[in-house]
Amino acid sequence: MHLFFHDKWEVEGLQTVGILLVVCSSLKLMHFLGLIDLSVQDSVEDDFELSTVCHRPESMDKLQEQTKFTKKELQVLYRGFKNECPSGVVNEENFKTIYSQFFPQGDSSMYAHFLFEAFDTNKNGSVSFEDFVFGLSIILRGTINDRLNWAFNLYDLNKDGCITKEEMLDIMKSIYDMMGKYTYPTMQDDAPREHVESFFQKMDRNKDGVVTIEEFIESCKKDENIMQSMQLFDNVI
């Protein structure tokens, strides 16, 4: 995985790595929760076990209608989520702890913060099973537009409908810090800012200093490497 990221970093820059991290970090979270392997399905429950959790998810049938997961997949997702998160929710500190285990060579706290904000759609300081499943459904099963919209929302930190250079610099710094300076010793301290300039040269079509969702989607769709990276993990579960 590190070699793959290294090649992408050198060739395409942090914007492509950022797209990949949206998917890969979500898969790492699924791996942590024991959700990737579906071989344990034969004896799963017909419905959610709710007696031991503080937050009770919506019915499985409703979640199946609202996501692109099957009933069996939702059962396995919930079993793993409940085992690791008995309260039924994950807070930001839990998120940061999980990602610090994924990326021990760097500081993942800021990227984990940004990713947590993207999953916490209700903005109540916690990620429920529903939040988790809705996000994963988009990232892993959504259309290209769905996935790019989700990534744009991650980068649009103040949720005003456009990405500024300041927001993108915060994202780039968080990725650089998470991957670790020792992992990429040739990278200079001003590298994140240089990648932001490269990002805006590619994405800011009308040169007004911000990137809109339309510009972001159009530019990403024209980038073969980004499109390939978004399809690497189709049908992982």
Side-chain angles (χ1 to χ4, degrees), residues 92-155:
E92 185 171 337
E93 289 307 310
N94 298 146
F95 232 67
K96 289 180 178 179
T97 299
I98 291 171
Y99 277 89
S100 69
Q101 298 174 36
F102 296 156
F103 300 95
Q105 75 278 12
D107 180 0
S108 61
S109 59
M110 188 54 65
Y111 186 82
H113 166 73
F114 294 143
L115 199 61
F116 179 84
E117 289 286 303
F119 272 101
D120 181 17
T121 54
N122 294 323
K123 305 306 175 189
N124 59 3
S126 62
V127 173
S128 66
F129 178 68
E130 293 95 326
D131 296 331
F132 180 65
V133 168
F134 292 155
L136 284 182
S137 179
I138 293 172
I139 294 168
L140 300 179
R141 299 284 172 82
T143 65
I144 292 296
N145 276 13
D146 290 338
R147 298 180 191 190
L148 290 175
N149 268 286
W150 201 93
F152 181 89
N153 183 64
L154 171 67
Y155 299 154

Side-chain angles (χ1 to χ4, degrees), residues 10-25:
E10 294 296 327
V11 176
E12 288 299 318
L14 284 175
Q15 58 265 35
T16 304
V17 175
I19 295 288
L20 277 168
L21 281 173
V22 169
V23 179
C24 290
S25 56

Side-chain angles (χ1 to χ4, degrees), residues 159-201:
K159 312 309 177 192
D160 66 349
C162 61
I163 302 172
T164 65
K165 287 187 177 182
E166 291 75 17
E167 287 175 322
M168 204 64 208
L169 182 59
D170 287 342
I171 292 288
M172 294 298 188
K173 285 181 176 178
S174 73
I175 294 174
Y176 184 35
D177 290 343
M178 180 171 65
M179 300 308 292
K181 293 182 179 180
Y182 294 107
T183 305
Y184 300 100
T186 60
M187 299 292 286
Q188 303 300 317
D189 289 340
D190 60 350
R193 191 174 297 277
E194 293 176 359
H195 281 288
V196 169
E197 293 301 323
S198 175
F199 175 91
F200 270 77
Q201 287 177 12

